[in-house]
Amino acid sequence: MLFYRILFDFKVSGTDKLKKAGDSFILAVNHISYLDPMAVSLSMPFRLKYLPLFYMAYDYLYDILFFYRFVGAVRSNEGKDLDFSCRQLIDILANGGRVVIYPEGSINRGVKMRPRRGISYVAAKSNKLIVPLKIGSNLDGSINNIGGKVIDLLTRKHWIKVVIGEPFKIEDTIGKIPENLKEFRLASEDILRRIETAS
């Protein structure tokens, strides 16, 4: 938090809405920067209550960055079916945990990306509330793992704003619990829209 306060104009709104989601829920987050996982964690009030947060990591990164598994990362099991890939997240939720899912699957570099089905599948199988969380910033997309030139960081020219939206159930997306690949896709598209319009 000190790092963020020094380098960024960091603001969070909507934390009161988390109370409606209980202790176990799915955080649906847009993905714009390598700094997003830290921004999400720092957005949680009473951090000891809401942490740890678990999230999927690419198999390659999970393998080469050994510490990932100790900070909440779960192997994505790329190329496997939805049930196999999502099983760990579903189990975490069943045991009262909290998971973070980026519907776009990877960092959005300004190109419209189609959301993946995984978040809808996890929500449908876990029956947990989904909490949309929108991250906005003016970080330089070309070097967004750092956030811009050093002089810009030192003068706090960069800002990060996190908005937490209203929790909702997966059936609120398409009017029913999705059951097939097409419905999972449609539900995921609605989830992404809810993230983008969170206020």
Side-chain angles (χ1 to χ4, degrees):
M1 179 59 79
L2 180 62
F3 168 80
Y4 262 61
R5 292 298 184 193
I6 291 174
L7 299 183
F8 305 114
D9 180 9
F10 181 63
K11 296 179 179 177
V12 181
S13 63
T15 54
D16 56 305
K17 296 169 186 170
L18 286 171
K19 296 176 183 177
K20 303 174 184 177
D23 294 334
S24 178
F25 50 82
I26 300 165
L27 277 171
V29 186
N30 62 316
H31 205 358
I32 61 173
S33 164
Y34 291 111
L35 296 175
D36 292 344
M38 190 181 298
V40 172
S41 293
L42 293 176
S43 300
M44 297 294 100
F46 309 112
R47 291 173 190 84
L48 292 178
K49 174 182 177 180
Y50 289 113
L51 296 181
L53 296 172
F54 295 89
Y55 58 93
M56 274 192 176
Y58 282 119
D59 293 348
Y60 175 73
L61 293 178
Y62 186 89
D63 290 335
I64 66 170
L65 300 176
F66 186 74
F67 71 91
Y68 257 32
R69 65 202 69 196
F70 299 111
V71 292
V74 172
R75 183 188 295 277
S76 62
N77 293 304
E78 299 159 51
K80 305 294 184 180
D81 62 37
L82 282 173
D83 186 63
F84 188 87
S85 298
C86 298
R87 178 50 48 193
Q88 280 186 275
L89 294 183
I90 295 170
D91 289 344
I92 288 168
L93 289 165
N95 290 314
R98 294 148 298 280
V99 303
V100 178
I101 302 179
Y102 302 99
E104 296 157 297
S106 59
I107 293 174
N108 187 322
R109 303 185 185 279
V111 178
K112 185 69 175 179
M113 299 172 67
R114 197 174 188 190
R116 302 189 180 185
R117 302 179 180 95
I119 187 167
S120 296
Y121 186 86
V122 171
K125 297 301 180 181
S126 66
N127 196 34
K128 296 289 184 176
L129 283 168
I130 305 166
V131 180
L133 188 150
K134 178 174 67 176
I135 302 176
S137 80
N138 63 344
L139 294 174
D140 184 345
S142 63
I143 48 176
N144 55 15
N145 56 326
I146 299 174
K149 299 176 182 177
V150 172
I151 189 65
D152 289 344
L153 292 175
L154 294 178
T155 54
R156 297 182 80 233
K157 288 185 177 179
H158 290 294
W159 54 267
I160 299 175
K161 181 180 180 182
V162 175
V163 179
I164 299 172
E166 290 288 341
F168 61 94
K169 299 286 283 185
I170 188 63
E171 53 263 40
D172 295 331
T173 59
I174 61 171
K176 56 173 288 192
I177 296 177
E179 299 176 350
N180 55 54
L181 293 179
K182 180 180 179 180
E183 291 178 351
F184 288 131
R185 176 75 74 183
L186 291 173
S188 292
E189 290 174 351
D190 187 74
I191 291 171
L192 187 56
R193 282 194 293 269
R194 289 170 185 261
I195 296 171
E196 295 170 342
T197 58
S199 60

